[in-house]
Amino acid sequence: MEFNIGPRMVKTGLAVALTLLITGMLGLDLEIVAAIAAVLAMQPSVMRSYNYIKEVVITNGVGLLLAMLGIFLLGSHPLSVGMIVIISIAISIKLGLYKTVSLTVLTIITLMLGNDDGLSLIYVINRLSLVTIGVLSAFIINMTVFPPDHQKNLFNMIKKASDKMNFLLRVLPNETMSIPQMKQEDREVEKLINEAHDYYEIISDERSRIFIKNRRSFYRNIIIYKHMIRVLSKKQTLIRQLEKNIKEMDAIPGDKSRLIKKLVKEINSYSENILLVYEKKIILNMDLQKETKAAMQVTINTLIEELQGAELYKWNFVFPVANSIIELFFELDKLERFVQIRELKEKKD
């Protein structure tokens, strides 16, 4: 059985340990509350940890107010606690503060239970300190231990998805993969694209972070990753259109099927070369690259000419695939320009 311990797991454990050490030094009771707060507050990036703390301030203020009202008006009966928790969740969702709902509930339960001597200022400070220590411990550990290389992580995700799709675009035109296997591959590709898109949202949050060393390079890469993910989406569309229409296209008389397979092969190589240039593994001959792109455009024009005057049923099979190829080609062309701009800017920097 595979057993992996990632950086986030380690950081969560360290945050809990730091929390327990601090609560132990201060002699605070219910240290388990602080430990739970540390676990809930561990975020995938430094900026998200910072934003999480800002949300905690708001939601904990709401939680404190509701807990005090609940104790004064309803007491500490379990039904009262449950009612206040429901109200607090509804308010948090209404305010759009989804991430800190669990922590707000924890704050309310901590304040409303275990208070036999009445609600005093010292009691409130003591209970809020537990949550504060847990959240700040998570932030400190997240900022200082194993700071994530988001750009490297995101590119690896994109590269993994791209490699899998390039493989599919090589085998699909030859119809050498079974339908069940094709469906499984399609699900895996969709999962990889979603993971890359979600991770892009994380790295995009880092744009306002003050700890970025080379801000210009960071911004350039953010734009490139955005277009790389767009390319992945366009590739997925092409793959699905090929799956759906390849058999019917092969049955159509003429040169259409051969032209499409030729384009798929050429555009696949074009896509691989752009990523290799980004990784600085190859240097493209720009004149040769222009000739390659011009040849692809000629093939596209030839395909369009082949389709002119064709019966409607032929368009029904060929057009979705041809359109997907054209959209992917123009998206790759934009991506290549951004990669070239990045290369020029890095030389000047």
Side-chain angles (χ1 to χ4, degrees):
M1 184 175 67
E2 190 175 353
F3 184 75
N4 294 322
I5 298 178
R8 190 172 177 183
M9 297 181 192
V10 174
K11 290 196 287 187
T12 301
L14 291 174
V16 170
L18 179 60
T19 299
L20 295 176
L21 285 171
I22 294 172
T23 53
M25 289 169 57
L26 297 175
L28 297 174
D29 297 328
L30 291 176
E31 61 271 18
I32 189 172
V33 173
I36 293 171
V39 174
L40 294 174
M42 183 55 67
Q43 298 295 304
S45 74
V46 175
M47 196 62 201
R48 288 200 172 183
S49 289
Y50 177 67
N51 291 333
Y52 189 87
I53 290 175
K54 290 194 292 185
E55 284 194 18
V56 166
V57 173
I58 299 171
T59 52
N60 270 18
V62 173
L64 172 61
L65 180 62
L66 290 173
M68 292 176 67
L69 287 173
I71 290 173
F72 287 131
L73 299 176
L74 303 172
S76 298
H77 190 276
L79 290 176
S80 303
V81 177
M83 186 181 299
I84 296 300
V85 165
I86 292 170
I87 295 171
S88 72
I89 293 173
I91 292 174
S92 295
I93 293 174
K94 186 69 176 177
L95 294 173
L97 304 172
Y98 306 100
K99 298 175 184 176
T100 52
V101 169
S102 300
L103 202 58
T104 304
V105 171
L106 180 66
T107 301
I108 290 172
I109 294 172
T110 305
L111 286 167
M112 293 188 71
L113 295 182
N115 180 30
D116 298 327
D117 301 325
L119 196 64
S120 65
L121 180 61
I122 294 175
Y123 175 84
V124 170
I125 292 173
N126 183 284
R127 292 297 186 259
L128 288 179
S129 296
L130 293 170
V131 175
T132 302
I133 290 169
V135 172
L136 290 179
S137 295
F139 177 73
I140 291 168
I141 293 296
N142 203 19
M143 189 171 60
T144 57
V145 178
F146 299 135
D149 188 345
H150 289 309
Q151 296 186 61
K152 181 180 178 181
N153 294 342
L154 178 57
F155 180 74
N156 287 339
M157 289 180 178
I158 292 170
K159 186 73 162 56
K160 184 178 179 181
S162 185
D163 288 345
K164 183 171 282 291
M165 282 191 268
N166 290 342
F167 167 73
L168 291 176
L169 288 173
R170 279 194 290 271
V171 300
L172 257 175
N174 301 323
E175 302 178 55
T176 54
M177 186 176 289
S178 66
I179 292 176
Q181 181 65 27
M182 193 67 242
K183 289 182 177 178
Q184 181 182 342
E185 293 289 339
D186 190 65
R187 286 193 295 269
E188 289 180 11
V189 163
E190 186 168 9
K191 181 183 176 183
L192 289 170
I193 293 174
N194 289 336
E195 287 176 354
H197 184 271
D198 291 342
Y199 205 88
Y200 172 80
E201 295 300 323
I202 293 175
I203 193 173
S204 184
D205 286 346
E206 301 289 292
R207 282 180 292 186
S208 56
R209 190 162 64 104
I210 61 174
F211 311 106
I212 299 172
K213 292 180 180 179
N214 191 335
R215 192 170 292 273
R216 288 182 181 178
S217 175
F218 179 83
Y219 287 150
R220 285 194 291 265
N221 284 325
I222 281 288
I223 294 170
I224 289 173
Y225 296 143
K226 182 179 180 180
H227 283 276
M228 284 181 176
I229 293 171
R230 285 183 182 175
V231 166
L232 294 181
S233 297
K234 297 295 183 184
K235 277 187 181 180
Q236 186 184 32
T237 301
L238 174 57
I239 288 169
R240 288 178 173 174
Q241 292 298 339
L242 284 169
E243 287 175 27
K244 183 179 177 182
N245 298 299
I246 190 70
K247 290 185 182 296
E248 287 80 1
M249 284 193 310
D250 285 341
I252 296 174
D255 215 23
K256 302 170 190 63
S257 179
R258 185 191 68 81
L259 287 171
I260 283 178
K261 290 179 180 181
K262 180 183 177 183
L263 276 171
V264 170
K265 182 179 178 181
E266 289 174 348
I267 210 163
N268 213 17
S269 298
Y270 183 33
S271 172
E272 289 174 326
N273 285 341
I274 292 173
L275 287 187
L276 289 171
V277 170
Y278 178 81
E279 294 180 277
K280 295 182 171 59
K281 290 183 177 179
I282 63 170
I283 299 174
L284 288 180
N285 183 310
M286 297 310 299
D287 293 333
L288 183 61
Q289 184 72 348
K290 287 179 181 178
E291 290 177 10
T292 302
K293 287 164 66 175
M296 274 192 283
Q297 288 176 326
V298 169
T299 307
I300 290 171
N301 291 334
T302 304
L303 177 61
I304 293 171
E305 290 173 3
E306 278 278 322
L307 285 168
Q308 286 179 357
E311 294 88 342
L312 183 61
Y313 81 95
K314 294 180 182 179
W315 275 93
N316 192 41
F317 299 132
V318 179
F319 179 76
V321 179
N323 185 61
S324 300
I325 291 172
I326 293 168
E327 287 186 356
L328 176 57
F329 174 76
F330 283 111
E331 198 62 53
L332 283 168
D333 186 52
K334 283 191 286 186
L335 176 60
E336 183 191 15
R337 288 200 300 269
F338 282 119
V339 172
Q340 289 173 355
I341 290 170
R342 168 181 173 264
E343 294 294 310
L344 292 173
K345 294 290 185 183
E346 286 185 351
K347 288 178 182 178
K348 290 181 180 178
D349 293 345

